[in-house]
Amino acid sequence: MSRPLGWVFALLSVLVLAACSQSSPPAMHTLSLDGSHGRVSVDGTPHTLPYHQSFPDGADVTLAALPDSGYHFGPWSGDLSGGANPATLTMNADKRVSATFTATAPADTRPPSVSLTGPSDGATVASSTVTVTGTASDNVGVQRVQARLNGGAWQSCSGLSTFQCSVGPLSQGANTVAVVATDAAGNQGSATIALTYATTSTSDPFNITLDIESSLTTAELAAFQDAAARWSQIITQGLPDLNVTIPQGACGGLPTSTFSGVIDDLRIAVQAVTIDGPGGILGQGGPCRVRSSDGLPAFGIMQFDSADLAMLQQQGLLQATILHEMGHVLGFGTVWGSLLSGAGTTNPRFIGAHAEQAWQALGGSGGVPVENCLDASGNPMTNCGPGTEDAHWREAIFGNELMTGYLNAGTNPLSRLTIASFADLGYTVDENAADAYSLPAGVTPQSLASATHLHFQLIRPSGSLP
């Protein structure tokens, strides 16, 4: 019996749809790996080389190079590049990858050679801080040089092939300084040096004579006497006596009468006067006459507003203030001369060798930062002018150290750095007489605002004495 043609077309459509409903197998791509002196892990399974395997289109394959003993990997080449290990490769086509393995040179186990050039082994030194110099060499390169004193903590030295190591404070008597150089392979070479620390023995101590030119309270007089004694403890060697005449009023109206006689070693005229009341101008002072032989001060003045002295006594800052200003009479900031670099710029520095060593021991480098009247953010500081700039340590860095231009509530330590700067001027000093001091974590605008600025006019030398 015949059937309509429509039925035949319907049957064919069903057959075509059935055929289309069956999915085609995914395309496959071949990964070929080669290399020598190592294996490659494919998706976590190690395989010897060469290696061939097919993967579905779009599959991500993780490859990890596994070098043989005595070799190191690097890099991939072919359809994978770079030194990433492991690395991922997407199989969107046939891929060929080579793993490169290179023989590792045997480690150099010979230690670096270290030679110390100064000071000489067994030397006796008068300073409690010394700089040990030397050279270091090694086939694979010196990476670090360190030193330590008497078995203490290691500290970094400056330089490598030629180095300098500042250590201190030395103990009285025998000391040992060890220096170690470390190379790129971790090998270490060392050298040691023995030093004897002995402070200068002298029958001529440093004397400061105070000429009190006006009435002072008991507390004020004691502050001046204590400051003179403190500086005489720090400066340990007297200077040659001078037989001189200082005319009346030769320096800021002082002395009030002509002085003729012997100066041993520094003479300071002290006066309290009425100036402008508390909180204004503190006074003036400094060295008026220096020695022609070495430029060190011989005669100076310290003149204060009596109202400010009383205010400082109430604030507990009197002794620190007198000690600070007497430091200027001795030459701090007033006879620096060529020791001050960059005066008048935004970055003045004190470049004396002893002070630079003490600055490095605090964690600094280069010259010691001198006051530039800028805060830590580089903004101009209030109450900072010619009497402060270029003549004090930088407040924004040194905080409560005594010889910044500001006094802080609490302690104002006289540091080894300050004492070392007097050695640069030519004095014989004892750095062990310093107060404990470390750099502050940060000097904020708030701490600057709360500090007491010393409105004190510094006097520089106006003549020399034979």
Side-chain angles (χ1 to χ4, degrees):
M1 182 170 67
S2 62
R3 295 182 179 177
L5 288 176
W7 180 88
V8 175
F9 286 122
L11 178 61
L12 289 174
S13 298
V14 171
L15 293 175
V16 170
L17 290 172
C20 292
S21 65
Q22 296 179 4
S23 59
S24 301
M28 302 295 288
H29 304 296
T30 301
L31 171 63
S32 299
L33 301 173
D34 60 57
S36 57
H37 303 297
R39 298 179 296 163
V40 173
S41 169
V42 180
D43 289 335
T45 302
H47 296 278
T48 57
L49 301 176
Y51 165 84
H52 304 278
Q53 180 64 44
S54 295
F55 293 89
D57 179 62
D60 288 333
V61 180
T62 300
L63 305 179
L66 307 172
D68 291 341
S69 177
Y71 290 82
H72 64 272
F73 164 71
W76 303 104
S77 61
D79 290 317
L80 183 62
S81 60
N85 190 30
T88 300
L89 181 68
T90 300
M91 296 299 298
N92 51 14
D94 290 345
K95 304 283 185 176
R96 180 174 292 277
V97 176
S98 294
T100 302
F101 300 101
T102 305
T104 301
D108 190 340
T109 59
R110 290 170 293 179
S113 174
V114 180
S115 176
L116 302 182
T117 58
S120 58
D121 188 37
T124 298
V125 296
S127 174
S128 63
T129 300
V130 297
T131 298
V132 177
T133 60
T135 59
S137 60
D138 188 79
N139 289 339
V140 297
V142 176
Q143 298 292 302
R144 183 175 68 252
V145 180
Q146 296 173 293
R148 67 176 178 181
L149 174 64
N150 298 329
W154 290 102
Q155 59 189 67
S156 297
C157 302
S158 60
L160 294 174
S161 59
T162 300
F163 58 81
Q164 292 185 335
C165 313
S166 294
V167 295
L170 276 66
S171 301
Q172 286 288 338
N175 294 266
T176 301
V177 180
V179 177
V180 61
T182 305
D183 67 15
N187 304 307
Q188 292 185 327
S190 62
T192 59
I193 186 173
L195 299 173
T196 299
Y197 172 49
T199 55
T200 303
S201 176
T202 177
S203 57
D204 182 21
F206 188 84
N207 295 308
I208 298 176
T209 302
L210 301 175
D211 284 337
I212 308 301
E213 302 272 15
S214 65
S215 61
L216 297 174
T217 67
T218 300
E220 290 165 357
L221 178 60
F224 282 98
Q225 292 173 336
D226 290 346
R230 182 83 168 92
W231 284 114
S232 294
Q233 176 192 26
I234 291 166
I235 301 174
T236 59
Q237 175 69 53
L239 303 173
D241 291 350
L242 296 176
N243 196 338
V244 301
T245 296
I246 307 295
Q248 177 183 352
C251 185
L254 297 175
T256 54
S257 60
T258 297
F259 168 79
S260 293
V262 174
I263 292 181
D264 173 34
D265 295 286
L266 174 65
R267 196 173 192 92
I268 305 176
V270 176
Q271 187 181 52
V273 296
T274 300
I275 300 179
D276 59 1
I281 297 174
L282 176 59
Q284 62 176 345
C288 301
R289 299 289 190 272
V290 295
R291 299 164 181 268
S292 59
S293 59
D294 53 21
L296 292 177
F299 175 79
I301 71 166
M302 297 176 70
Q303 188 179 63
F304 292 88
D305 189 326
S306 55
D308 281 314
L309 289 178
M311 180 187 69
L312 291 167
Q313 172 67 21
Q314 293 175 352
Q315 294 174 340
L317 295 175
L318 179 63
Q319 287 187 318
T321 300
I322 303 304
L323 186 65
H324 173 106
E325 302 304 348
M326 196 172 291
H328 287 306
V329 181
L330 284 159
F332 188 96
T334 51
V335 296
W336 278 354
S338 61
L339 292 171
L340 177 62
S341 174
T345 71
T346 58
N347 190 26
R349 298 272 178 155
F350 185 89
I351 56 174
H354 292 87
E356 285 186 344
Q357 291 178 17
W359 170 226
Q360 291 168 8
L362 288 171
S365 62
V368 185
V370 173
E371 187 57 71
N372 59 2
C373 289
L374 300 175
D375 64 21
S377 300
N379 299 313
M381 293 164 55
T382 59
N383 298 324
C384 186
T388 305
E389 192 173 16
D390 293 337
H392 297 83
W393 299 142
R394 197 172 302 175
E395 173 74 14
I397 292 177
F398 294 101
N400 68 333
E401 210 282 341
L402 179 74
M403 296 310 295
T404 68
Y406 299 77
L407 291 179
N408 302 80
T411 61
N412 291 270
L414 195 162
S415 68
R416 299 178 74 92
L417 169 63
T418 291
I419 296 178
S421 74
F422 281 92
D424 290 318
L425 293 180
Y427 292 106
T428 300
V429 301
D430 180 10
E431 292 186 21
N432 283 335
D435 299 323
Y437 172 78
S438 58
L439 290 176
V443 179
T444 65
Q446 291 76 19
S447 63
L448 283 171
S450 64
T452 300
H453 180 242
L454 301 177
H455 297 272
F456 196 79
Q457 180 64 43
L458 294 183
I459 294 176
R460 264 74 176 188
S462 57
S464 60
L465 298 172

